[in-house]
């Protein structure tokens, strides 16, 4: 029963973070719709480019900190050494403040250089506004990692939602106000469109900064409320020698560097895509306005929608690392393999229906959210939906490898995948003249290569053999059947009602219900597995009343 309880808690904590990530992404999607109406595809190009540069420095300064801190803290707590777990947190916090401040200054004063490097000089306005966020997120991420290492994701989840709500409100208001102000500035300087879009994009990034401040305030409040409890637990524990802070900082850095390299290389493909696509498009004779608008559609619509389901894998990976680290530290290989299987299976249960649903309803979804009925937009989302499965799987497998202390494996894999990705993108653009679709296919290819390489790594390092039928075959077949149903429902209702909104929403709801029914009817998911999920018992009662279980 103890093992079952741990497994249940592991999935529940992962699910809490996943739900928070999904809610945050949905809020992010909702506020980007009115913001898109204000700044347009050209403004989205500036906004997206600024974020891609910001994300690289975020990766360098602090993105790996929550994962590294949760891993170090959970390993010490599993050994009954909360005293040093707390010292590791304090050492990590000091490192975060130094690294966060350093990259904030680099990004703020180097904004013009980085923006010009990516052939998007007007994105420097938004990038400067984003710069202070790097320091704030570094501190906040360390505190989140501390709580995740203690086995609770609730503070991280709530702070994430608060952060995004504030972000949404400020982004909409600030982008509207600054877009108008930028138009006036541009009228004086003789370039109204570019300055309006640049100031509008800066308004959007202002929301990110102020939202991060709100998230930091909340999680700091929780931390200071919990600190007396932590100190009381430390006093009750068996005395352990205190690790020197010099040693702690060294271990923190040695833990962060492999995670940092892996996540940076894994995520830097977006920046590489941005610079390479625009350089090659310019070489092929496309105007800056044309390739800028296409990139704006890709980053402001396609990637924005695809990232919603991928957030589940990211959240589950974040909760997987500390639990795997604890099992690995205790040399409990059976628990380790069970948790790897649970994490991968749970991720695939979500990824397959999301990929199929988004692929089938790409056009209607874009029309519903962005009033966009342009063929290239629907084609980008439809093709890009394939990458949901591969990105979800490669993200969770990255977390597994990091959790079992095989940090170098995802680094090496990411380097190989990135090299192949760049070559693949260049061939698709220069040989096949696929333009922006080359970026969509290259992203899918990159995630696919990462999946294969990470699978080999997990099999070799954890002596783990992945079960195929229930984790992949069953959800894939069920999702395909669901896709046929969704397509039929949408087409039928659109034919009867002569509109898009109601048929799209109805098709999505029918898709969710039909996928659940198919999975249960075909034994693709069992009663025991439902019990491990949040509100699983409620779902079981519903399915029992419907005589499906």
């Amino acid at each position: 029963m103890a093992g079952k309880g741990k497994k249940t808690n592991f999935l529940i904590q992962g699910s809490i973070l996943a739900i928070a990530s999904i809610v945050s992404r949905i809020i992010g999607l909702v506020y980007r719709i009115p913001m898109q109406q204000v700044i347009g595809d050209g403004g989205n190009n500036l906004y997206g480019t600024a974020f891609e540069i910001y994300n690289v420095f975020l990766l360098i300064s602090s993105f790996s900190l929550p994962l590294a801190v949760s891993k170090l803290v959970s390993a010490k707590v599993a050994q009954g050494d909360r005293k040093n777990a707390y010292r590791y947190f304090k050492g990590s916090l000091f490192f975060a403040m130094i690294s966060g401040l350093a990259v904030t200054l680099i990004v703020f004063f180097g904004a013009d250089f980085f923006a010009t490097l990516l052939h998007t000089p007007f994105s420097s306005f938004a990038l400067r506004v984003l710069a202070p966020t790097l320091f704030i997120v570094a501190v906040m991420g360390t505190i989140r990692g501390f709580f995740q290492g203690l086995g609770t994701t609730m503070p991280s989840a709530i702070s994430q939602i608060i952060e995004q709500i504030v972000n949404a409100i400020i982004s909409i208001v600030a982008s509207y106000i600054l877009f108008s102000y930028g138009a006036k500035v541009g009228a004086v300087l003789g370039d109204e469109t570019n300055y309006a879009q640049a100031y509008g994009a800066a308004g959007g990034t202002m929301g990110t900064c102020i939202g991060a401040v709100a998230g930091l305030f909340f999680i700091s409040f929780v931390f200071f409320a919990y600190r007396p409890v932590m100190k009381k637990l430390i006093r009750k524990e068996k005395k352990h020698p205190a690790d020197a802070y010099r040693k702690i900082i060294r271990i923190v850095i040695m833990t962060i560097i492999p995670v940092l390299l892996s996540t940076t290389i894994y995520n830097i493909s977006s920046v590489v895509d941005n610079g390479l696509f625009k350089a090659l498009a310019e070489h092929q004779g496309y105007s800056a306005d044309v390739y800028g608008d296409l990139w704006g559609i890709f980053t402001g619509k396609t990637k924005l929608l695809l990232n919603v389901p991928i957030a589940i894998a990211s959240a589950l990976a974040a909760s997987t690392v500390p639990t795997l680290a604890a099992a690995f530290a205790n040399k409990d290989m059976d628990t380790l393999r069970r948790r790897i299987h649970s994490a991968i299976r749970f991720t695939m249960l979500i990824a397959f229906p999301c990929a199929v649903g988004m692929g089938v309803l790409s056009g209607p979804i874009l029309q519903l959210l962005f009033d966009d009925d342009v063929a290239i937009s629907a084609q980008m989302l439809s093709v890009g939906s394939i990458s949901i499965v591969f990105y979800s799987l490669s993200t969770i497998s990255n977390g597994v490898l990091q959790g079992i202390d095989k940090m170098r494996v995802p680094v090496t894999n990411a380097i190989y995948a990135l090299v192949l990705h760049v070559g693949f993108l260049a061939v698709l653009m220069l040989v096949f003249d696929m333009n922006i679709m080359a970026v969509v296919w290259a992203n899918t290819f990159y995630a696919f290569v990462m999946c294969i390489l990470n699978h080999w790594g997990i099999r070799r390092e954890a002596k783990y053999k992945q079960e195929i039928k229930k984790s992949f075959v069953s959800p894939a077949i069920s999702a395909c059947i669901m896709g046929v149903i969704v397509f039929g429902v949408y087409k039928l209702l659109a034919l009867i009602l002569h509109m898009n909104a109601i048929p799209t929403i109805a098709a999505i709801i029918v898709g969710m219900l039909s996928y659940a029914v198919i999975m249960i009817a075909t034994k693709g998911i069992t009663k025991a597995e439902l019990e491990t999920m949040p509100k699983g018992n409620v779902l079981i009662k519903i399915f029992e009343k419907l005589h499906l279980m």
Side-chain angles (χ1 to χ4, degrees):
M1 288 299 290
K4 182 179 176 182
K6 288 179 181 178
K7 178 183 175 184
T8 301
N9 184 63
F10 149 63
L11 281 177
I12 286 174
Q13 293 302 323
S15 299
I16 289 170
L17 205 55
I19 290 166
S21 296
I22 289 294
V23 170
S24 297
R25 295 295 172 97
I26 290 172
I27 294 169
L29 177 62
V30 169
Y31 86 74
R32 287 288 292 274
I33 295 168
M35 200 175 91
Q36 153 77 23
Q37 299 300 320
V38 173
I39 66 177
D41 289 333
N44 259 336
N45 174 37
L46 304 181
Y47 180 86
T49 300
F51 257 98
E52 279 150 15
I53 299 167
Y54 162 82
N55 282 334
V56 170
F57 284 95
L58 180 65
L59 290 167
I60 292 169
S61 65
S62 62
F63 187 82
S64 54
L65 273 168
L67 204 62
V69 173
S70 69
K71 184 176 182 295
L72 291 168
V73 169
S74 66
K76 286 295 179 183
V77 170
Q79 294 165 2
D81 188 4
R82 281 184 171 83
K83 178 181 179 180
N84 279 312
Y86 188 53
R87 288 175 71 84
Y88 273 97
F89 160 69
K90 289 192 286 185
S92 301
L93 188 60
F94 174 76
F95 177 86
M97 294 173 76
I98 298 298
S99 63
L101 180 60
V103 293
T104 291
L105 295 174
I106 290 169
V107 170
F108 185 84
F109 291 107
D112 289 325
F113 169 76
F114 297 122
T116 304
L117 193 66
L118 291 184
H119 301 265
T120 320
F122 277 93
S123 64
S124 62
F125 291 79
L127 189 56
R128 279 199 182 88
V129 175
L130 271 175
T133 316
L134 290 161
F135 176 80
I136 299 162
V137 170
V139 175
M140 179 168 58
T142 306
I143 303 174
R144 284 176 175 173
F146 172 69
F147 281 113
Q148 286 164 212
L150 294 177
T152 176
T153 56
M154 191 62 78
S156 297
I158 296 173
S159 68
Q160 200 173 324
I161 293 171
I162 290 172
E163 178 186 355
Q164 197 65 289
I165 290 171
V166 174
N167 179 8
I169 295 168
I170 299 296
S171 292
I172 294 169
V173 174
S175 63
Y176 178 79
I177 293 171
L178 289 182
F179 184 88
S180 300
Y181 179 75
K184 294 175 184 176
V185 172
V188 174
L189 297 175
D191 192 354
E192 186 173 336
T193 301
N194 279 325
Y195 276 97
Q197 291 175 346
Y199 275 78
T205 56
M206 186 182 293
T208 304
C209 184
I210 297 174
V213 171
L216 177 60
F217 276 149
F218 172 79
I219 205 160
S220 297
F221 172 79
V222 176
F223 169 74
F224 284 113
Y226 177 74
R227 192 168 63 165
V229 177
M230 183 71 176
K231 290 186 173 181
K232 186 176 180 181
L233 290 170
I234 290 170
R235 287 194 295 269
K236 288 183 177 180
E237 274 184 347
K238 177 185 173 183
K239 297 295 180 184
H240 291 270
D243 291 347
Y245 278 112
R246 181 178 295 178
K247 174 188 174 184
I248 288 171
I249 294 294
R250 187 177 72 251
I251 292 173
V252 168
I253 291 171
M254 294 307 293
T255 304
I256 284 171
I257 286 174
V259 179
L260 165 66
L261 289 172
S262 173
T263 52
T264 300
I265 297 167
Y266 182 63
N267 289 280
I268 205 172
S269 61
S270 180
V271 177
V272 172
D273 285 347
N274 190 327
L276 187 59
F277 166 71
K278 289 175 181 176
L280 292 177
E282 188 176 350
H283 170 74
Q284 290 178 308
Y286 293 98
S287 70
D289 287 341
V290 170
Y291 64 68
D293 283 351
L294 285 172
W295 188 262
I297 294 169
F298 174 69
T299 190
K301 295 174 185 175
T302 304
K303 282 184 71 176
L304 184 67
L305 288 165
L306 296 179
N307 281 339
V308 173
I310 293 171
I312 296 173
S314 298
L316 200 58
S319 68
T320 297
V321 170
T323 62
L324 294 180
F328 190 75
N330 292 328
K331 302 189 185 318
D332 187 353
M333 299 308 290
D334 287 338
T335 299
L336 181 73
R337 294 187 188 103
R338 282 198 305 271
R339 287 178 178 173
I340 292 173
H341 175 263
S342 296
I344 291 175
R345 175 156 159 69
F346 188 78
T347 302
M348 291 298 96
L349 283 173
I350 305 297
F352 275 109
C354 288
V356 172
M358 205 165 285
V360 169
L361 294 176
S362 57
I365 289 171
L366 285 165
Q367 195 174 341
L368 173 69
L369 297 177
F370 300 104
D371 194 25
D372 184 345
D373 57 1
V374 179
I376 188 65
S377 301
Q379 187 182 356
M380 287 163 65
L381 184 58
S382 184
V383 172
S385 66
I386 302 168
S387 70
I388 291 173
V389 173
F390 297 132
Y391 266 112
S392 296
L393 184 56
S394 58
T395 299
I396 196 69
S397 56
N398 261 6
V400 168
L401 288 165
Q402 289 160 359
I404 61 174
D405 249 355
K406 304 301 175 186
M407 305 289 198
R408 293 181 183 177
V409 177
V411 175
T412 307
N413 293 347
I415 292 171
Y416 289 147
L418 185 60
V419 171
L420 293 171
H421 166 80
V422 169
F424 191 67
L425 174 59
V427 168
L428 292 182
M429 286 197 70
L430 296 176
V431 178
F432 296 97
D433 195 21
M434 292 180 66
N435 202 280
I436 193 66
M437 289 306 300
V439 178
V440 179
W441 279 111
N443 270 266
T444 304
F445 175 74
Y446 173 76
F448 172 72
V449 173
M450 280 296 295
C451 287
I452 300 299
L453 295 177
N454 281 356
H455 168 71
W456 288 343
I458 294 171
R459 185 168 184 169
R460 182 178 64 251
E461 303 295 347
K463 303 294 184 288
Y464 172 77
K465 186 175 180 180
Q466 179 60 47
E467 174 274 328
I468 300 297
K469 184 179 177 182
K470 292 192 75 175
S471 296
F472 297 98
V473 176
S474 181
I477 292 173
S478 299
C480 288
I481 297 170
M482 176 210 76
V484 174
I485 295 170
V486 163
F487 182 78
V489 168
Y490 174 79
K491 286 294 184 183
L492 180 62
L493 290 177
L495 187 66
I496 295 170
L497 300 174
H498 301 289
M499 60 188 304
N500 178 69
I502 293 175
T504 303
I505 295 168
I508 292 170
I509 294 170
V510 169
M512 293 167 61
L513 295 174
S514 62
Y515 177 73
V517 170
I518 294 164
M519 284 295 291
I520 291 165
T522 58
K523 309 295 183 187
I525 189 167
T526 64
K527 185 175 181 179
E529 287 170 328
L530 277 176
E531 287 174 347
T532 67
M533 299 178 187
K535 300 298 181 183
N537 290 326
V538 175
L539 292 173
I540 289 169
K541 287 178 182 177
I542 293 170
F543 292 135
E544 284 177 341
K545 286 182 179 178
L546 295 172
H547 302 289
L548 294 171
M549 184 170 280

